[in-house]
Amino acid sequence: AAMNAALRLADEAGVFTRSGGLAGVWGKLIERWLHEMLPDDCHTTCSGKVGISVTALALAFNPIQRKVINTFSSKEDLIDACLTSVHIPYFLDGNFSRTYRGEACVDGSLLFCLLNTPWRASEEFGEKQSAWLLHHAKDEKLMQRKWGFLETLDKDSLVEMFSMGHDHGMGHDRTRSPSSLHSRESESESEKGSLLPGMQEFPDIQDFPELGYQSGAPVAI
């Protein structure tokens, strides 16, 4: 359902036909998509459990600081944090930065990209703990495709990339028995939603304890 909604919003904005593709309109599309996908009480569910990274910019001795937001006052505040966390200067909405809680901020992965080192779990959760880190450069199939950075792909390529990301993340679990996957047989057809051609249903992550994730544990984005 999420992928279908994203493609529908992109179609409505003319992303696949306009010369600029996603440039300048991506931010509004993400905002509309999040408002559709997230429940009204998402901020309550995520507070204390989800950490969203933003990079704050300031005229100071330490001008670039990565911050983790893990408390949210409303659905709008949570969505604002998400939009700030993915703010690519100029590309998302034509602005260099996005103001979040009174600070000029950009994409939360900026320091990760500049320094090529992941942040410590202690930054998010106050203590050391194991983490499951996925990096696109480790996906051999994705690297073979050589899609351009911020390139607007056609629909088929987007679905392919989406499925490749799933396969990369769950690839080492392909030998698991189908019976161990989360079953949705009890759900109505309207609750299941429709899958696009070439896509497959994602099992819930709590069914994969070997990934190091326990249901209810904090998650960093």
Side-chain angles (χ1 to χ4, degrees), residues 46 50-54 66-68 78 82 85-86 108-109 119 124-125 219-221:
C46 292
V50 174
I52 298 179
S53 303
V54 303
R66 179 178 168 272
K67 298 185 177 183
V68 178
L78 174 60
C82 290
S85 180
V86 299
S109 65
W119 43 84
E124 279 74 35
F125 313 123
V219 176
I221 299 175

Side-chain angles (χ1 to χ4, degrees), residues 110-167:
L110 177 62
L111 287 175
F112 179 90
C113 295
L114 292 176
L115 303 177
N116 197 32
T117 55
W119 43 84
R120 298 169 305 193
S122 58
E123 290 183 66
E124 279 74 35
F125 313 123
E127 61 183 14
K128 292 183 177 180
Q129 63 185 64
S130 60
W132 187 40
L133 178 64
L134 286 179
H135 197 294
H136 67 279
K138 300 295 183 180
D139 187 340
E140 295 181 0
K141 291 184 178 179
L142 178 64
M143 291 295 96
Q144 289 174 0
R145 292 308 305 267
K146 299 186 184 302
W147 281 312
F149 180 61
L150 299 181
E151 176 185 356
T152 301
L153 305 178
D154 58 67
K155 291 182 183 180
D156 290 341
S157 296
L158 283 173
V159 172
E160 181 184 6
M161 180 186 286
F162 188 83
S163 296
M164 288 170 69
H166 168 254
D167 290 344

Side-chain angles (χ1 to χ4, degrees), residues 2 10 14 19 64 90 96 106 119 145 151 168 171 175 185 196-197 203:
S19 59
I64 303 177
Y90 300 116
F96 174 75
V106 294
W119 43 84
R145 292 308 305 267
E151 176 185 356
H168 175 56
T175 58
E185 292 178 355
L196 292 168

Side-chain angles (χ1 to χ4, degrees), residues 27-48:
K28 284 296 183 183
L29 293 181
I30 296 173
E31 185 174 10
R32 289 179 59 191
W33 180 76
L34 288 173
H35 270 289
E36 286 190 20
M37 293 294 106
L38 295 178
D40 290 339
D41 63 347
C42 58
H43 59 290
T44 302
T45 303
C46 292
S47 287

